[in-house]
């Protein structure tokens, strides 16, 4: 008691103050972490759209965002740790990885809107990444990145590690300073094992929310399915991860084949249950917002306007099964309504009252989607196993006449980016251009061209070209000759006789912008899916994958065995017969006898001894 | 190869300790040691005294490509499903499938693989994870997985990270012959390759016990060169015999499962995680008249009696 210097009341006050200070500190720390943790967000959205060829498009969009690492440290509660570790380890500033099966039908499903521009991907695996590193280190980092992604997504992405598989375009794909790497595997299979880890990156996986609709047999029965992962990382904004899955399905409904009283065929009426065999029974509880959109395109909206009715969810042409919570109008450059979006907030639905959005058609309707200015396609020419040609054709779709003024010096730019593997040895000097059937000089059409020629077993051939077509053109064709190379016997895949793939070429039209604007939308209504639609993006389309048959050695074991065995047998039997039947010297003796016989006769006649 | 098992007095003491009546025998410790020395059924000592079974791994390999080899994929996926159901998680399973059958354009049932024409069980499920697929299934990658000698960039999910306490199930199916197993119609794995890999694994303490099951023609010949202790091998047929498929599914158009795997599966479907069935009962369930071949098991490298072996590969 003698050691106590301060009077008891002061000590008590000091104790109280220190306790208060401690509490304040704790509260501050808690709020700081809460602030940082609360800045991680997850949103899920689904967009449904009827397509003109009696199919339905379903587009799933999941966005996870994490604040900059300095604020939150290494702890995440919504954002997948695997992705943040990937970004930190490989210094990635942008990455896109897509797994696609099927081909996007540009003629029927459109080529001008943000959906086809962003989500129509080439078949197989496509990976590109921009690194935040000195240029000398990028190739080694790319190699490690491909291996890590291969383990993460159960795919053979590690085949992109060797220099023969990837390329570094400067402006043909995306403008960059040399830190972009691009690779594609056209023959990679895409199945449930690629979707499983992709879904495990979502906070609710496929157990709750919009991802619970993903009935695997439905997804893989579609005409086109593409799952994509897009990353953007920066010091100021943190990491934004967009995961999208785009599926084109044929709804299995009975009404699809019905004939209407007017004689035309009704479009199939479908609902979410027809597409996925399930209804949506609630949102993912950790998601900030969860929405379903139904998009009615310009073609249908024009028809509804023509029929004289208002474009609401219940009109003369179609009716939506559930009344939407909100409707958004998209306006084009001329302030005319272009397409219409109906929004459903999944928050209002639960397992007792599940959401089953559907559309029922009342009158037969035919419409078409807006297409890119040219339909780009690619094919092979020539026959035999020695040489051939790659031809690329651009067929005008009539869009240019609507949007661009048709004065005499009007031209449409197109950028072509193509990577060809080394065993298809392209001769870039043999490039020929034909416009409407007439051969043109290269300098008239090609504005800029950058070629990295292929090196045997080292580098693929990369070509980036800027073309200028006259607006009045109907059809343009480019041809390139190539020689077929030889592979070492160990380099042939097990099914070598199928042929070898040339990955899709990318054709983009820099003067055409595919973004959309929804000016009437409530500013508080934040939807990542619509944000992506509003982003500036050039119209682009991918061409087909080409299959090149190369000379293969004869791998067939039975043929070789038969050949060797027959040769051995022939040698054996031939020698045996020779040994048995032929008498050595018999011929000479026979000839001698004949000569001697003649001689004897001669001697006898001459009475001489022989 | 010593035929006299090195006794583990600690183990036998532990066993004796469980039975209260035997505690009195502790005084006769020297006699006990003598008994264990002469007993052939005594458990062998592990290479290091701390080797206790504490994890299970499975390496499931399908080596055939092309649509008409659908049944090999179904075999492997059936084992995958069984092994997952009985407790081994995806992180401890290395699944190698040489081709894609579920999303193959010829498959009438996309994302579904069946091993029975009644189509009741979808082997592909919703959560399959394939570690090596397509062109990656080569003899080189297979041997790298077994021996653990990978390039530095190879991710963890593609490595067999077993240690000296691991029990590993290695299942291979495809086309095979006398002393070889064909990989993807392109190359072959020979019996001495496999024996060398297993020997390396034993040297590096990568397993405590290894069960190899092979379902191919003349499967037993693949084990002829094995010499490492702690290995148990089951083959679907003997030298000179073929292994046959079970039945044809006229909807899918090809045979959907092989006989040996079908009967193995029929045995495992009756089990759950808590069952106490022994390997002996598995062997007894193989009927040569149903398999149309003689199932062969190589037990000489395996020191314990089979009726003592619970299905230790499947659960802890």
């Amino acid at each position: 008691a003698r050691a106590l210097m301060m009077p008891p009341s002061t000590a008590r006050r000091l104790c109280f103050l220190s306790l208060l200070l401690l509490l304040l500190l704790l509260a501050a720390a808690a709020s700081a972490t809460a602030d940082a943790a609360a800045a991680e967000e997850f949103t899920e959205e689904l967009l449904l759209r009827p397509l003109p060829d009696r199919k339905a498009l379903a587009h799933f969009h999941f966005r996870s965002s994490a604040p900059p690492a300095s604020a939150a440290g290494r702890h995440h509660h919504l954002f997948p740790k695997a992705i943040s570790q990937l970004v930190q380890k490989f210094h990635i500033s942008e990455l896109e990885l897509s797994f696609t099966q099927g081909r996007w039908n540009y003629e029927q499903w459109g080529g001008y809107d943000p959906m086809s521009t962003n989500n129509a991907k080439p078949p197989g695996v496509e990976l590109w990444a921009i690194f935040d590193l000195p240029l000398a280190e990028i190739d080694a980092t790319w190699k490690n990145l491909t291996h890590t992604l291969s383990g993460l997504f159960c795919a053979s992405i590690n085949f992109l590690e060797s220099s023969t598989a990837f390329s570094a375009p400067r402006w043909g794909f995306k403008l960059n300073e040399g830190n972009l790497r691009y690779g594609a595997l056209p023959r990679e299979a895409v199945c449930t094992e690629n979707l499983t880890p992709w879904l495990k990156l979502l906070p609710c996986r496929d157990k709750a929310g919009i991802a619970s609709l993903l009935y695997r047999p439905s997804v893989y029965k579609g005409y086109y399915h593409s799952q994509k992962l897009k990353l953007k990382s920066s010091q100021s904004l943190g990491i934004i991860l967009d995961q999208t899955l785009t599926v084109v399905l044929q709804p299995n409904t009975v009404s699809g084949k019905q004939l209407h009283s007017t004689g035309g065929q009704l479009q199939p009426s479908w609902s979410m249950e027809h597409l996925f065999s399930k209804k949506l029974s609630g949102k993912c509880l950790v998601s900030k917002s969860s929405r379903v959109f139904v998009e009615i395109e310009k073609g249908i909206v024009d028809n509804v306007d023509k029929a004289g009715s208002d474009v609401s969810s219940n009109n003369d042409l179609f009716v939506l099964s559930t009344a939407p919570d909100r409707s958004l109008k998209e306006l084009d450059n001329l302030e005319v309504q272009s397409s219409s979006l109906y929004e459903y907030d999944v928050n209002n639905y639960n397992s007792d009252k599940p959401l089953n959005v559907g559309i029922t058609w009342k009158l037969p309707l035919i419409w078409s989607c807006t297409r890119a200015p040219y339909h780009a396609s690619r094919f092979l020419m020539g026959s035999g196993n020695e040489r051939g040609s790659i031809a690329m054709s651009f067929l005008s779709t009539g869009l240019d006449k609507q949007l661009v003024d048709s004065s005499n010096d009007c031209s449409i730019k197109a950028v072509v980016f193509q990577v060809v593997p080394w065993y298809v040895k392209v001769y870039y000097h043999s490039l020929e251009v034909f416009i409407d059937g007439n051969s043109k000089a290269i300098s008239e059409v090609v504005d800029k061209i950058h070629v990295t020629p292929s090196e045997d077993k080292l580098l693929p051939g990369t070509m980036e070209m800027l073309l200028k077509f006259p607006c009045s053109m109907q059809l343009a064709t480019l041809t390139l000759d190539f020689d077929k190379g030889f592979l070492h016997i160990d380099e042939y895949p097990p099914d070598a006789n199928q042929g070898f793939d040339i990955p899709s070429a990318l054709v983009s039209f820099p003067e055409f912008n595919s973004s959309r604007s929804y000016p009437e939308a409530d500013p508080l209504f934040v939807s990542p899916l619509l944000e992506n639609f509003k982003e500036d993006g050039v119209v682009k389309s991918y061409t087909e994958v080409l299959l090149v048959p190369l000379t293969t050695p004869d791998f067939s074991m039975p043929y070789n065995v038969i050949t060797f065995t027959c040769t051995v047998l022939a040698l054996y039997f031939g020698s045996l017969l020779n040994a048995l039947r032929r008498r050595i010297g018999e011929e000479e003796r026979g000839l001698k006898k004949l000569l001697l016989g003649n001689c004897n006769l001669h001697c006898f006649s001459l009475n001489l001894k022989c | 190869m010593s035929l006299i098992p090195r006794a583990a007095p600690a183990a036998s003491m532990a066993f004796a300790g469980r039975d209260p009546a035997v505690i009195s025998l502790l005084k006769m410790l020297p006699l006990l040691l003598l008994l264990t020395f002469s007993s052939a059924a005594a458990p062998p000592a592990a290479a290091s005294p701390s080797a206790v079974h504490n994890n299970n791994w499975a390496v499931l390999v399908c080596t055939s490509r092309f649509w008409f080899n659908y049944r090999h994929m179904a075999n492997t996926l059936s084992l995958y499903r069984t092994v997952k159901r009985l407790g081994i998680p995806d992180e401890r399973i290395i699944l190698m499938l040489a081709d894609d059958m579920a999303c193959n354009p010829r498959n009438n049932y996309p994302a579904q693989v069946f091993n029975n024409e009644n189509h009741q069980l979808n082997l592909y499920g919703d959560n399959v994870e394939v570690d090596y697929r397509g062109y990656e299934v080569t003899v080189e990658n297979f041997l790298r997985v077994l021996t653990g000698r990978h390039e530095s960039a190879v991710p963890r999910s593609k490595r067999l990270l077993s240690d000296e306490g691991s029990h590993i199930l290695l299942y291979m199916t495809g086309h095979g012959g006398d002393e070889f197993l064909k990989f993807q119609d392109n190359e072959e794995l020979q019996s001495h390759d496999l024996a060398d890999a297993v020997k390396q694994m034993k040297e590096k303490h990568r397993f405590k016990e290894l069960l190899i099951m092979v379902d191919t023609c003349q499967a037993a010949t693949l084990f002829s060169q094995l010499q490492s202790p702690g290995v148990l091998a089951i083959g679907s047929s003997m030298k000179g015999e073929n292994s046959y498929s079970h039945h044809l599914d006229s909807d899918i158009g090809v045979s959907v499962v092989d006989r040996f795997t079908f009967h193995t599966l029929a045995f495992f479907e009756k089990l759950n995680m808590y069952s106490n069935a022994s390997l002996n009962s598995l062997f007894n369930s193989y009927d040569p008249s149903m398999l149309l071949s003689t199932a062969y098991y190589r037990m000489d490298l395996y020191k314990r009696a089979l009726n003592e072996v619970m299905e230790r590969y499947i659960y802890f």
Side-chain angles (χ1 to χ4, degrees):
Chain A
R2 224 175 269 172
L4 196 63
M5 295 305 221
M6 290 182 285
S9 60
T10 328
R12 222 178 287 142
R13 218 175 288 149
L14 209 63
C15 228
F16 177 69
L17 278 171
S18 59
L19 202 66
L20 199 64
L21 195 65
L22 195 65
L23 276 168
L24 277 170
L25 273 171
L26 277 170
S31 70
T33 48
D35 274 339
E40 271 190 19
E41 279 174 14
F42 172 70
T43 52
E44 50 176 21
E45 277 144 327
L46 167 63
L47 183 123
L48 298 167
R49 185 213 281 184
L51 292 171
D53 57 351
R54 317 177 66 72
K55 300 189 173 80
L57 172 84
H59 176 76
F60 294 79
H61 186 273
F62 303 99
R63 175 176 284 195
S64 304
S65 59
S70 50
R74 302 280 167 99
H75 301 289
H76 300 284
H77 80 285
L78 283 184
F79 195 82
K81 191 170 180 185
I83 299 294
S84 67
Q85 284 181 335
L86 198 83
V87 170
Q88 273 162 7
K89 184 169 176 198
F90 298 119
H91 303 276
I92 297 173
S93 55
E94 247 185 280
L95 180 141
E96 197 176 288
L97 172 62
S98 68
F99 298 83
T100 313
Q101 280 292 101
R103 206 185 132 256
W104 182 267
N105 191 341
Y106 288 100
E107 299 99 310
Q108 294 279 350
W109 304 340
Y112 201 84
D113 54 306
M115 180 71 65
S116 57
T117 301
N118 295 334
N119 298 299
K121 290 280 160 197
V125 164
E126 192 203 47
L127 170 67
W128 62 265
I130 298 184
F131 297 91
D132 191 15
L133 285 171
L135 294 181
E137 295 174 28
I138 292 186
D139 282 343
T141 317
W142 167 266
K143 173 180 169 174
N144 290 335
L145 174 67
T146 55
H147 275 277
T148 310
L149 288 174
S150 140
L152 190 54
F153 289 103
C154 299
S156 323
I157 302 176
N158 50 316
F159 287 156
L160 288 176
E161 62 169 345
S162 68
S163 56
T164 56
F166 67 88
S167 64
R170 294 302 291 262
W171 48 268
F173 184 75
K174 219 171 139 71
L175 196 58
N176 66 90
E177 303 104 33
N179 50 0
L180 173 100
R181 294 292 181 271
Y182 173 91
L185 290 171
R187 211 188 280 184
E188 188 69 15
V190 179
C191 206
T192 314
E193 66 260 23
N194 304 116
L195 193 58
T196 306
W198 188 91
L199 286 171
K200 284 190 181 167
L201 299 176
L202 302 172
C204 286
R205 313 232 165 143
D206 59 341
K207 304 285 179 239
I210 288 179
S212 63
L213 285 174
L214 289 171
Y215 180 54
R216 310 294 192 265
S218 291
V219 170
Y220 292 103
K221 206 189 272 203
Y223 287 82
Y224 172 86
H225 62 87
S226 173
Q227 72 188 65
K228 197 174 73 158
L229 187 116
K230 192 168 158 64
L231 264 187
K232 257 203 192 116
S233 150
S234 65
Q235 293 290 13
S236 50
L237 291 171
I239 311 177
I240 301 179
L241 172 68
D242 273 341
Q243 291 175 253
T244 62
L245 175 67
T246 312
V247 197
V248 173
L249 300 165
Q250 176 93 64
N252 52 344
T253 58
V254 180
S255 69
K257 300 264 161 62
Q258 282 171 355
L259 285 179
H260 193 253
S261 52
T262 58
Q265 196 172 36
L266 267 183
Q267 291 273 335
S269 304
W270 49 262
S271 69
M272 268 163 41
E273 199 167 2
H274 287 119
L275 295 179
F276 302 112
S277 317
K278 289 186 206 174
K279 298 184 199 174
L280 191 51
S281 49
K283 68 172 207 171
C284 171
L285 292 172
V286 291
S287 65
K288 188 168 168 223
S289 68
S290 177
R291 298 190 182 96
V292 176
F293 295 98
V294 175
E295 187 181 9
I296 301 295
E297 278 189 295
K298 182 179 192 313
I300 307 176
V301 166
D302 288 345
N303 271 300
V304 170
D305 280 338
K306 245 190 271 177
S309 83
D310 185 32
V311 186
S312 65
S313 65
N314 188 347
N315 55 45
D316 291 338
L317 285 179
F318 65 86
V319 58
L320 295 177
S321 61
T322 326
D325 296 317
R326 200 194 305 246
S327 89
L328 296 156
K329 295 195 192 4
E330 183 232 334
L331 300 179
D332 64 9
N333 303 352
L334 307 166
E335 304 290 319
V336 173
Q337 182 179 0
S338 185
S339 67
S340 205
L341 271 181
Y342 299 101
E343 183 240 347
Y344 298 82
D345 193 350
V346 186
N347 224 349
N348 305 335
Y349 300 88
N350 49 38
S351 47
D352 296 323
K353 192 181 103 185
L355 175 62
N356 187 16
V357 178
I359 186 168
T360 312
W361 297 94
K362 295 183 186 166
L363 288 175
L365 180 62
I366 299 177
W367 75 96
S368 61
C369 299
T370 326
R371 298 170 62 182
Y374 294 107
H375 174 61
S377 110
R378 199 176 56 158
F379 50 93
L380 282 174
M381 299 198 310
S383 65
N385 276 340
E386 221 182 312
R387 60 185 76 91
S389 296
I390 301 177
M392 205 179 295
S393 75
F394 297 85
L395 184 62
S396 170
T397 59
L399 180 76
D400 44 339
K401 298 199 174 57
Q402 294 167 26
L403 293 176
V404 184
D405 66 319
S406 47
S407 52
N408 267 347
D409 55 349
C410 144
S411 66
I412 297 183
K413 282 195 205 156
V415 177
V416 174
F417 167 59
Q418 183 172 250
V419 180
V420 178
W422 67 265
Y423 39 82
V424 175
K425 301 182 213 201
V426 175
Y427 294 109
Y428 293 101
H429 71 275
S430 63
L431 175 66
E432 285 183 0
V433 184
F434 299 88
I435 295 197
D436 289 329
N438 303 321
S439 170
K440 297 275 181 205
I442 303 294
S443 49
E444 273 181 50
V445 185
V446 177
D447 242 17
K448 199 160 83 156
I449 181 166
H450 176 71
V451 163
T452 311
S454 63
E455 270 176 70
D456 273 10
K457 299 188 211 261
L458 279 180
L459 283 179
T462 313
M463 179 177 81
E464 302 165 72
M465 225 169 24
L466 174 61
L467 303 159
K468 261 209 178 112
F469 296 126
C471 291
S472 52
M473 175 193 91
Q474 288 298 314
L475 171 69
T477 317
L478 279 79
T479 57
L480 278 168
D481 293 335
F482 65 84
D483 269 357
K484 296 188 188 181
F486 288 101
L487 292 170
H488 189 256
I489 188 153
D490 290 338
E491 292 170 351
Y492 284 98
D495 51 353
N497 291 301
Q498 186 182 359
F500 295 78
D501 299 297
I502 303 182
S504 295
L506 173 67
V507 177
S508 43
F509 303 99
E511 293 157 331
F512 294 83
N513 194 331
S514 67
S515 64
R516 292 219 164 142
S517 65
Y518 300 88
E520 293 177 6
D522 186 5
L524 293 173
F525 182 80
V526 174
S527 153
L529 188 108
L530 293 185
E531 267 176 38
N532 279 353
F533 280 10
K534 288 184 212 165
E535 248 176 40
D536 272 339
V538 292
V539 170
K540 29 187 215 249
S541 55
Y542 283 93
T543 64
E544 299 88 336
V545 171
L546 295 177
L547 189 65
V548 178
L550 291 183
T551 22
T552 51
D554 193 351
F555 299 110
S556 62
M557 204 178 64
Y559 173 80
N560 294 336
V561 168
I562 293 170
T563 317
F564 285 138
T565 318
C566 288
T567 310
V568 166
L569 284 173
L571 285 172
Y572 172 72
F573 279 108
S575 333
L576 193 68
L577 281 170
N578 253 346
L580 289 176
R581 291 290 302 139
R582 195 198 275 193
R583 300 256 147 54
I584 301 167
E586 189 176 276
E587 285 174 9
E588 291 165 17
R589 264 180 263 138
L591 199 60
K592 237 196 218 168
K593 249 195 212 156
L594 203 64
L595 279 171
L596 273 172
N598 278 346
C599 198
N600 272 339
L601 211 62
H602 197 67
C603 289
F604 186 68
S605 65
L606 292 177
N607 273 330
L608 288 172
K609 230 192 220 156
C610 294
Chain B
M1 190 167 66
S2 154
L3 285 170
I4 302 170
R6 283 171 282 159
S12 52
M13 285 279 281
F15 193 79
R18 281 189 220 166
D19 190 350
V22 181
I23 292 176
S24 56
L25 283 173
L26 283 176
K27 294 174 197 152
M28 299 167 46
L29 177 57
L31 191 60
L32 216 73
L33 277 170
L34 214 65
L35 281 171
T36 48
F37 256 114
S38 52
S39 150
S48 65
S50 63
V52 172
H53 168 213
N54 52 24
N55 60 71
N56 295 317
W57 281 83
V59 179
L60 309 170
V61 184
C62 166
T63 59
S64 301
R65 144 180 299 274
F66 302 125
W67 176 248
F68 52 82
N69 290 320
Y70 181 102
R71 62 185 187 282
H72 296 144
M73 203 70 58
N75 288 349
T76 318
L77 287 168
S78 313
L79 257 291
Y80 174 74
R81 184 188 170 271
T82 302
V83 145
K84 248 176 112 161
R85 182 175 68 85
L86 293 174
I88 303 187
D90 268 315
E91 290 79 35
R92 299 260 179 88
I93 303 177
I94 307 260
L95 181 60
M96 300 172 78
L97 297 180
D99 201 357
D100 171 45
M101 295 299 166
C103 294
N104 196 309
R106 288 185 180 186
N107 192 359
N108 223 358
Y109 300 88
Q112 290 161 300
V113 175
F114 304 112
N115 65 352
N116 201 316
E117 60 177 348
N118 58 23
H119 293 184
Q120 277 186 358
L121 189 58
N122 172 16
L123 296 172
Y124 226 58
D126 280 349
N127 279 322
V128 62
E129 286 186 21
V130 181
D131 300 298
Y132 290 83
R133 64 190 328 218
Y135 298 137
E136 282 180 288
V137 178
T138 57
V139 174
E140 181 192 341
N141 281 342
F142 173 68
L143 293 176
R144 280 185 189 275
V145 165
L146 283 188
T147 53
R149 295 163 68 173
H150 295 279
E151 283 182 29
S152 56
V154 171
R156 284 177 67 91
S157 62
K158 284 172 141 177
R159 294 183 190 230
L160 179 63
L161 299 167
S162 56
D163 53 28
E164 68 258 8
S166 304
H167 283 181
I168 304 181
L169 167 68
L170 172 60
Y171 176 82
M172 295 192 282
T173 179
H175 290 287
D178 197 357
E179 309 258 340
F180 72 90
L181 173 62
K182 195 163 71 155
F183 265 68
Q184 296 217 47
D185 233 15
N186 206 5
E187 44 182 5
E188 53 189 36
L189 173 80
Q190 298 195 327
S191 54
H192 57 81
D193 290 328
L194 183 64
D196 282 346
V198 173
K199 199 169 175 189
Q200 271 195 54
M201 286 174 83
K202 194 68 196 174
E203 293 289 317
K204 291 160 90 164
H205 302 302
R206 278 168 71 74
F207 67 91
K208 179 162 181 281
E209 288 173 15
L210 175 64
L211 170 61
I212 309 181
M213 283 177 86
V214 177
D215 186 356
T216 67
C217 301
Q218 304 191 56
T221 56
L222 203 64
F223 315 132
S224 59
Q225 311 277 342
L226 285 174
Q227 282 179 355
S228 315
V231 177
L232 187 64
I234 307 176
S236 61
S237 50
M238 309 274 297
K239 181 177 161 98
E241 287 181 350
N242 291 334
S243 290
Y244 295 94
S245 64
H246 192 260
H247 63 267
L248 170 75
D249 181 340
S250 25
D251 207 357
I252 294 185
V254 285
S255 305
V256 289
V257 71
D258 279 334
R259 283 175 183 261
F260 175 76
T261 308
F262 182 84
H263 291 285
T264 308
L265 231 62
F267 177 85
F268 279 115
E269 284 292 311
K270 297 187 213 125
L271 302 180
N272 59 36
M273 258 196 272
Y274 309 101
S275 304
N276 269 349
S278 72
L279 273 178
N280 225 3
S281 44
L282 172 65
F283 295 155
N284 293 337
S285 75
Y286 293 136
D287 180 6
S289 61
M290 297 295 286
L291 290 180
L292 300 182
S293 60
T294 319
Y296 164 83
Y297 15 100
R298 185 166 171 184
M299 301 181 295
D300 57 317
L301 298 167
Y302 195 72
K303 296 299 188 298
R304 281 185 294 162
L306 287 170
N307 53 7
E308 281 181 15
V309 180
M310 313 303 186
E311 296 304 315
R312 287 160 169 268
Y313 291 94
I314 308 298
Y315 69 102
F316 277 36

